[in-house]
């Protein structure tokens, strides 16, 4: 796999007792993706969201500045 469009949970984390970071790391391991590829998937998710343009700008800035730290928190 050279590109991932997005990673998301389609169920409530309180029900399944998981976290988005854990799911990203599972995807990373299973498909051999780099941190940069996961970061791009997160940015793609923002683009595909129903958030306002202002919210998208803010979310993308947060991802660009802190994704790796978040991923391994």
């Amino acid at each position: 796999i050279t590109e991932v469009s997005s990673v998301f949970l389609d169920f409530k984390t309180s029900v399944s007792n998981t976290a988005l970071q854990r799911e990203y790391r599972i995807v990373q391991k299973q498909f051999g993706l780099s941190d940069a590829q996961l970061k791009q998937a997160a940015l793609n998710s923002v683009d595909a969201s129903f958030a306002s343009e202002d919210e998208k700008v803010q979310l993308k800035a947060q991802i660009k500045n802190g994704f790796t730290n978040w991923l391994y928190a």
Side-chain angles (χ1 to χ4, degrees):
I1 292 180
T2 58
E3 187 176 325
V4 174
S5 63
S6 62
V7 176
F8 66 94
L9 299 175
D10 61 354
F11 47 85
K12 293 184 178 184
T13 58
S14 61
V15 172
S16 63
N17 196 28
T18 192
L20 189 56
Q21 290 103 320
R22 181 176 180 276
E23 297 301 311
Y24 268 85
R25 290 191 304 266
I26 290 170
V27 168
Q28 184 176 44
K29 182 178 179 182
Q30 291 295 316
F31 295 103
L33 301 175
S34 68
D35 289 354
Q37 288 173 304
L38 289 180
K39 184 177 186 177
Q40 187 58 55
L43 292 168
N44 293 345
S45 296
V46 172
D47 283 334
S49 76
F50 294 109
S52 70
E53 289 306 314
D54 288 340
E55 290 171 316
K56 288 181 181 184
V57 168
Q58 291 174 356
L59 289 168
K60 285 181 171 185
Q62 289 175 355
I63 292 167
K64 289 177 182 176
N65 293 324
F67 182 80
T68 303
N69 289 335
W70 170 81
L71 183 62
Y72 296 104

